[in-house]
């Protein structure tokens, strides 16, 4: 069952990769032509400009332009932001599906070995902690805090071991070095726990447990 789900996700990925590439290519052409019309490098009275205004801007550019205006940005940058959103969205979609496929493969291997599922749960737990630490760093860049709706979860998951570290590790300028120490500590902790659970047994062939 797990292998069949992984195979299905692999098929979906094989179909999506060219579609994501094509979407990025179309968005790139649309962004360039829209930017050219907006900056008058392409005549606003030409057939190309008319096509851009009627077909491309309403679908690709206008939604991003509204967000930029609300944030105080300039509408001339909307084509490039729209292109970045399409590319980033496509990469995130592919990366998310690849991650799911890899987890199903790992679960299939883990289910075939004694204690494999426990090792997989340990791997997931420490992976979530690393993601939360990354989120803490990003939150510090964008002004997120422990009471922010988007970032609260990362503080809840990491503050219990970051707070003691901050008491013994000095801050270097504006850099909270306790997060860096915690990241490496999480990696070491994962290695120790997994080694103890494996008891010297080799992981299943092809797995990363």
């Amino acid at each position: 069952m797990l292998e069949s789900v992984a195979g299905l996700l692999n098929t979906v990925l094989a179909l999506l990769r060219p579609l994501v590439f094509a979407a990025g290519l179309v968005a790139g052409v649309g962004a360039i032509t829209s930017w050219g019309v907006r900056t008058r490098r392409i005549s606003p009275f030409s057939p190309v400009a008319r096509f851009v205004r009627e077909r491309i801007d309403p679908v690709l550019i206008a939604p991003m332009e509204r967000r930029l205006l609300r944030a105080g940005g300039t509408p001339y940058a909307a084509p490039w932001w729209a292109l970045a959103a399409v590319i980033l969205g496509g990469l995130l979609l592919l990366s998310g599906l690849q991650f799911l496929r890899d987890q199903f493969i790992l679960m299939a291997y883990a289910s075939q070995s004694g204690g494999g599922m426990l090792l997989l749960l340990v791997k997931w737990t420490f992976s979530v902690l690393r993601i939360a630490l990354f989120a803490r760093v990003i939150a510090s860049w964008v002004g997120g805090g422990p009471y922010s709706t988007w970032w609260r979860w990362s503080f809840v998951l990491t503050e219990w071991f970051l707070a003691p570290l901050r008491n013994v590790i000095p801050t270097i300028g504006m850099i909270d070095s306790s997060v860096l120490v915690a990241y490496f500590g999480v990696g070491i902790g994962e290695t120790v726990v997994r080694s103890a659970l494996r008891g010297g047994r080799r992981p299943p062939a092809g797995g990363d447990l």
Side-chain angles (χ1 to χ4, degrees), residues 50-102:
R50 192 178 323 75
F51 178 81
V52 166
R53 285 192 295 268
E54 293 176 357
R55 303 293 182 182
I56 296 178
D57 281 359
V59 176
L60 180 65
I61 311 300
M64 184 59 66
E65 185 176 27
R66 287 192 291 270
R67 288 178 173 82
L68 279 176
L69 290 173
R70 284 198 297 267
T74 171
Y76 290 108
W80 306 122
W81 280 104
L83 175 60
V86 170
I87 293 175
L88 183 60
L91 291 176
L92 287 175
L93 175 62
L94 293 177
S95 298
L97 289 174
Q98 287 172 352
F99 176 79
L100 284 177
R101 179 202 60 190
D102 293 344

Side-chain angles (χ1 to χ4, degrees), residues 90-141:
L91 291 176
L92 287 175
L93 175 62
L94 293 177
S95 298
L97 289 174
Q98 287 172 352
F99 176 79
L100 284 177
R101 179 202 60 190
D102 293 344
Q103 300 317 301
F104 277 108
I105 292 173
L106 285 174
M107 284 190 289
Y109 283 124
S111 64
Q112 297 170 6
S113 63
M117 291 304 295
L118 181 57
L119 285 168
L120 186 58
L121 287 174
V122 169
K123 177 181 174 64
W124 284 347
T125 299
F126 282 96
S127 295
V128 169
L129 289 177
R130 277 193 288 267
I131 293 171
L133 287 171
F134 272 121
R136 287 283 298 259
V137 173
I138 296 172
S140 67
W141 292 345

Side-chain angles (χ1 to χ4, degrees), residues 183-196:
Y183 182 83
F184 286 108
V186 166
I188 294 171
E190 180 182 4
T191 301
V192 171
V193 173
R194 287 167 60 184
S195 297

Side-chain angles (χ1 to χ4, degrees), residues 5 11 16 40 43 54 69 71 95 112 119 125 136 145 158 168-169 172:
V5 174
T11 302
L16 276 179
R40 296 186 178 273
S43 172
E54 293 176 357
L69 290 173
S95 298
Q112 297 170 6
L119 285 168
T125 299
R136 287 283 298 259
T158 59
V168 296
I169 299 174
I172 303 173

Side-chain angles (χ1 to χ4, degrees), residues 196-208:
L197 290 174
R198 264 202 299 261
R201 292 182 290 109
R202 293 177 63 85
D208 186 23

